[in-house]
Amino acid sequence: MVALAANAALEGGADPEAVSNLTLAGSSEFLDNRAAVRELVLERLMVLVDQVVASREQRNSSLIERASKFIEANFSQDLTLQEVAQQVYLNPCYFSRLFKQVKGQNFIDYLTRVRLRAAKELLLNTNLPVAAIAERVGYHDARYFSQVFKKQEGYTPSVFRKIGGAKFEGSAG
C-alpha cells in the first residue's frame, strides 16, 4: 500500500529522494504487531500527502508569479482574467481562485494596483495630461480612471499631482 501511495506521490510531484526514504524496508520489527504496522503505514501515507501538497503549492506559486510578471509587463493593454489564465495554461475559474489564494487579492484588484502604481509615477514625474496617463496605464476613459484613482488613493489624479504625492508612501498602492 505504501509503495502504491509512493508511486502516486511521485506522479503528484513529490520529491523522489524524500519518497524513497519512506518505504517500509527496515521496518520488519513491526511486522508482528498489526497496530504498529497500521500506525507506520498511516504515518508514511501522511508524509506522502504532505509531499504532494508542498509540491503543488510550489507549482501554483510559480504559475501565479509568472502571471503576475505578465500583468506587470502588459498592464497598459486590455487584460482580462481569461487572457492571463491562458498565459499560464489554467482554466480561468481555477486561475481566479488560485490567484486570490496566492496573492491575497483578486485579479482585478491586483491589476488596478499595478496600473495605479504606474499612474502615480507618471503623475509625479511627467507633465502628461491625466487623460494621457489614463490611456498609458490601460484606462480608455479618463473619467473612470479618475474615479478609480480617487476611490483607491483618496485624491483625484490632479490633486495627487498638485500635492506632489506627499502621501504617496502611505497610499494604498
Side-chain angles (χ1 to χ4, degrees), residues 5 20 60 97 123 134:
S20 70
N60 291 344
R97 272 198 330 265
L123 285 165

Side-chain angles (χ1 to χ4, degrees), residues 1 14-15 31 55 64 68 71 76 80 100-101 106 118 129 142 144 151 168:
M1 186 154 92
D15 177 40
L31 294 178
S55 173
I64 297 304
S68 297
I71 292 167
S76 62
T80 65
K100 175 134 182 150
Q101 179 184 340
N106 66 33
Y144 178 66
K151 181 180 178 190
F168 184 55

Side-chain angles (χ1 to χ4, degrees), residues 117 120-121 124-125 153 155 160 163-173:
R117 183 174 54 224
K120 288 187 277 186
E121 291 292 331
L124 295 175
N125 299 313
E153 303 302 325
Y155 302 100
F160 181 86
I163 63 171
K167 300 218 176 198
F168 184 55
E169 301 303 319
S171 67

Side-chain angles (χ1 to χ4, degrees), residues 14 43 45-57:
E43 174 189 312
L45 290 176
M46 292 307 295
V47 171
L48 290 169
V49 167
D50 290 343
Q51 287 278 322
V52 172
V53 167
S55 173
R56 284 228 169 115
E57 286 175 354

